[in-house]
Amino acid sequence: MRRDAVLVTGATGNVGRQVVSGLREMGVPVRALTRNPDMAGLPDDVTVVRGDLDDPQSVSAALTDVTAVFLLWPSFSPEGAVPLVEQIAAHACRIVYLSALQAADGPETGWGAVERLIEESGVAWTFLRCGGFAANTLGWAERIREEGVVRAPFANAARSLIHEKDIAEVAVRALTGDGHAGETYSLTGPEVVTQADQARLIGEVIGRPVRFEEQPLPEARAEMLPIFGDAALVDAALAYWGSLVTEPEPVTTTVAQVTGRPARTFREWAEDHAADFR
Ligand SMILES: NC(=O)c1ccc[n+]([C@@H]2O[C@H](COP(=O)([O-])OP(=O)(O)OC[C@H]3O[C@@H](n4cnc5c(N)ncnc54)[C@H](OP(=O)(O)O)[C@@H]3O)[C@@H](O)[C@H]2O)c1
């Protein structure tokens, strides 16, 4: 019997790569979307398809005989997602969308707006509203490797960062199992860890001390601007991180409820990525 494939967007990214791996382990045929198939580095039994989410026409070939789609939307603005979601809904029965906790603030956030589009498309959906990814700390890797230092603002910002494998395990269940349609899952790591402690834990895992150095806000802002491309987004991110010094991020138990095992700790994440920091 032929099994319909699952299309994984963002298949070369932190989460998508793990989704591909989880689907392969279950024997589900995987189609992986990327803008650069030559650079994808995915296993041979994965059908890699060239496509750009900003150009829905380029995604249409990838959707033939696809039953479910793991969807990320790569931009902060929802503009451009309308034709893509329409296109997916015309082919697939199910979308599992990689959203963010901020979607709870409504459609004025990009994630909330994309959720609304998906709801209105008529396709069965599951929203994975994630807190911050532990993988964001890979941005510290170069300075840790070279100087043994993390230089960032708000040493005491307390975060419940999540391992990409936990998001992917929930995604694979939602893509392949019953009972997830119409569910909005708020996903975080299992504990709150301050940024200073994240640096310390990375140091313990790599066997070399890592020092957290409080970075002045203007310097952080200047470093973030070219990455975020929008001063208002930078200021919002800095204000949010600042707020976490006195109001730590929430911790949910949804990963455990959906997968049957607790979410991985930040230390476990650092162990999985030790090579990046050595
Ligand atoms: N970081 C966080 O803390 C956080 C929290 C909540 C939600 N999120 C959401 O998570 C998503 C990022 O996930 P990630 O960290 O797994 O990804 P990532 O490691 O940042 O990689 C980005 C992925 O998106 C793909 N991509 C980017 N632009 C594309 C385009 N125009 N067309 C096709 N593919 C495109 C890239 O594929 P190619 O380069 O191979 O084409 C790559 O696979 C974002 O949508 C973000 O909003 C992030």
Side-chain angles (χ1 to χ4, degrees):
M1 190 183 77
R2 195 197 72 204
R3 272 184 97 170
D4 284 338
V6 172
L7 175 67
V8 179
T9 68
T12 60
N14 296 305
V15 181
R17 218 171 258 287
Q18 299 297 333
V19 174
V20 168
S21 160
L23 291 169
R24 285 178 70 235
E25 279 168 23
M26 292 182 67
V28 176
V30 182
R31 215 165 288 166
L33 192 86
T34 172
R35 290 163 296 177
N36 301 299
D38 296 343
M39 308 281 285
L42 287 161
D44 289 344
D45 58 358
V46 172
T47 308
V48 179
V49 189
R50 185 190 302 276
D52 188 329
L53 294 168
D54 290 324
D55 172 14
Q57 275 315 109
S58 72
V59 182
S60 68
L63 283 162
T64 313
D65 295 331
V66 155
T67 180
V69 176
F70 176 74
L71 179 67
L72 65 68
W73 178 247
S75 125
F76 286 113
S77 156
E79 214 177 301
V82 177
L84 176 71
V85 171
E86 276 173 6
Q87 176 110 264
I88 294 172
H91 288 85
C93 319
R94 185 183 295 204
I95 292 180
V96 175
Y97 169 54
L98 181 59
S99 187
L101 289 179
Q102 290 88 327
D105 296 336
E108 49 287 348
T109 68
W111 296 283
V114 174
E115 286 188 1
R116 178 70 59 83
L117 287 175
I118 295 169
E119 277 169 344
E120 289 170 354
S121 76
V123 74
W125 53 262
T126 308
F127 298 148
L128 310 185
R129 287 187 181 166
C130 304
F133 294 176
N136 295 345
T137 63
L138 289 170
W140 296 343
E142 192 176 336
R143 226 171 232 164
I144 289 179
R145 283 195 305 268
E146 289 173 4
E147 304 166 43
V149 168
V150 169
R151 199 169 154 74
F154 309 120
N156 290 320
R159 307 216 56 185
S160 53
L161 299 179
I162 184 165
H163 196 311
E164 59 275 7
K165 282 188 180 168
D166 287 323
I167 304 170
E169 282 180 20
V170 173
V172 168
R173 279 174 168 77
L175 287 162
T176 59
D178 295 328
H180 303 285
E183 295 290 342
T184 298
Y185 293 133
S186 298
L187 305 176
T188 71
E191 60 187 348
V192 159
V193 183
T194 65
Q195 298 207 99
D197 279 340
Q198 291 162 28
R200 178 182 55 77
L201 286 164
I202 292 170
E204 285 178 15
V205 163
I206 63 172
R208 237 173 355 99
V210 174
R211 191 165 46 86
F212 191 98
E213 205 174 274
E214 188 72 29
Q215 184 178 36
L217 281 181
E219 186 187 311
R221 198 169 182 275
E223 270 183 18
M224 288 165 69
L225 257 177
I227 300 166
F228 281 57
D230 180 334
L233 287 176
V234 171
D235 289 338
L238 287 170
Y240 173 66
W241 295 333
S243 75
L244 300 180
V245 173
T246 50
E247 293 165 53
E249 284 185 324
V251 170
T252 70
T253 53
T254 318
V255 169
Q257 284 156 16
V258 176
T259 68
R261 49 175 298 288
R264 293 161 173 89
T265 61
F266 185 79
R267 176 186 282 276
E268 287 176 280
W269 179 86
E271 283 165 353
D272 286 348
H273 290 272
D276 294 308
F277 295 105
R278 280 205 177 100

